[in-house]
Amino acid sequence: MLKLYHYWSSVCSQKVRLALAEKNLEFASQHINLFDFEHWSPDYVKLNPKGVVPTLEDDGRIVIESNVILEYLEDRFPAVRLRPQDPYEQAMTRIWIYNSEEIAHHNVNTASHNPRHAVRHKAKHHTREEMQAIAARCPNPIIARRFLQRIEHGVSEDEENQAYAALDYLLEMMEGALAATAWLAGNRYSLADIAMAPFINRIEVLKRPEMVSAARRPRIAQWWQHVQDRPAFKQAFSFANPDKSDPLQR
Ligand SMILES: N[C@@H](CCC(=O)N[C@@H](CS)C(=O)NCC(=O)O)C(=O)O
């Protein structure tokens, strides 16, 4: 039995939901509300000592890190293959999985703070002291420091600009890769596409959606349409926000 601990709009959770849907795998869903800080509760931290989502449980065995979960699902449930057979295409798959972690994730996270994360924190009406007490519960010193820094100062314009510059650079590489093949690692949809798709979805609702527009990056725009046309995409992204008080619903 598979169980996924995830948050509806978390890009890392969306990757895993995409792979589960492509592989037609059923799973029990445990929504972890990041803005009620459920990911720092003692019970959840026992599963995921980093205090982040997603976490996959497979018959009592725990796997963390979205990209590791993608690889795990591929090896454990190979009936629907999402890793190419060709060694070069496998290498390209690993590059895009790596890019999703090295470049996409933390820069999208930075760019998401002011328009998305801060808005939700504000809607919860915590006092500064309450937020500091919440940070003290975070098991991960890297995330706790970032959290404290952001509740005090937000994300500066300069940090945002740097994040967008990194994303622009990544998108340019992606546009280049899609000149050669229909999908990121070859002519078949793969874990490479799954690792990147949630970031394109997110960029569309941030401050510079033109970065992925058809006018600016026609190959990415076409690829993104093809991703969204997949039934598994529709299934994975139909997971609605259970928190109806959340000001954001995409
Ligand atoms: N490298 C990790 C990153 C996990 C991660 O940072 N997840 C985000 C959501 S996409 C999270 O839980 N953030 C909570 C926080 O920063 O407080 C993975 O890919 O699973």
Side-chain angles (χ1 to χ4, degrees), residues 12-248:
C12 307
S13 302
Q14 288 165 341
K15 280 188 217 173
V16 174
R17 293 205 305 268
L18 280 173
L20 288 165
E22 285 291 339
K23 288 177 174 287
N24 303 307
L25 295 170
E26 289 191 3
F27 62 95
S29 164
Q30 175 79 54
H31 189 254
I32 300 292
N33 192 331
L34 301 182
F35 293 87
D36 287 335
F37 305 103
E38 291 174 352
H39 55 317
W40 298 341
S41 74
D43 282 349
Y44 183 71
V45 167
K46 278 186 203 145
L47 303 175
N48 189 322
K50 295 188 178 183
V52 291
V53 290
T55 297
L56 182 77
E57 192 175 322
D58 180 8
D59 280 335
R61 300 210 288 186
I62 301 299
V63 188
I64 64 168
E65 287 292 337
S66 60
N67 290 335
V68 175
I69 297 172
L70 292 186
E71 303 273 8
Y72 176 77
L73 289 173
E74 180 65 9
D75 295 332
R76 172 89 165 87
F77 303 101
V80 174
R81 288 201 180 274
L82 294 169
R83 186 190 291 124
Q85 301 290 297
D86 173 75
Y88 181 77
E89 292 185 356
Q90 285 184 358
M92 293 305 105
T93 305
R94 293 194 180 105
I95 295 275
W96 285 104
I97 289 176
Y98 185 70
N99 285 342
S100 81
E101 178 68 18
E102 187 201 29
I103 309 177
H105 184 240
H106 71 96
N107 288 299
V108 153
N109 180 283
T110 301
S112 297
H113 182 78
N114 293 336
R116 296 178 65 84
H117 303 166
V119 171
R120 284 160 161 158
H121 286 312
K122 202 168 164 210
K124 297 284 179 186
H125 303 293
H126 291 299
T127 63
R128 189 160 171 252
E129 290 68 31
E130 282 167 345
M131 290 296 254
Q132 283 166 344
I134 287 164
R137 298 209 307 262
C138 175
N140 180 333
I142 305 159
I143 290 188
R145 195 181 57 186
R146 185 181 73 190
F147 179 79
L148 280 171
Q149 162 85 16
R150 287 184 180 173
I151 55 173
E152 291 297 330
H153 309 289
V155 162
S156 71
E157 204 180 323
D158 187 46
E159 281 176 286
E160 264 191 2
N161 285 338
Q162 283 182 40
Y164 281 114
L167 292 172
D168 208 46
Y169 159 73
L170 178 63
L171 292 171
E172 206 47 34
M173 285 199 278
M174 202 172 154
E175 185 76 4
L178 293 170
T181 51
W183 297 103
L184 283 172
N187 285 319
R188 281 188 56 193
Y189 186 73
S190 76
L191 293 178
D193 306 290
I194 288 179
M196 287 305 300
F199 297 103
I200 307 305
N201 179 62
R202 175 61 59 79
I203 289 168
E204 275 198 332
V205 294
L206 293 179
K207 291 182 183 170
R208 302 188 196 175
E210 67 280 3
M211 289 168 84
V212 293
S213 68
R216 176 96 177 270
R217 297 213 161 89
R219 294 190 198 103
I220 290 182
Q222 191 182 39
W223 168 91
W224 175 225
Q225 190 54 57
H226 290 156
V227 173
Q228 292 175 91
D229 289 343
R230 298 180 74 80
F233 176 90
K234 293 184 175 68
Q235 190 183 328
F237 276 70
S238 67
F239 186 89
N241 183 359
D243 181 355
K244 299 303 170 207
S245 70
D246 189 328
L248 299 171

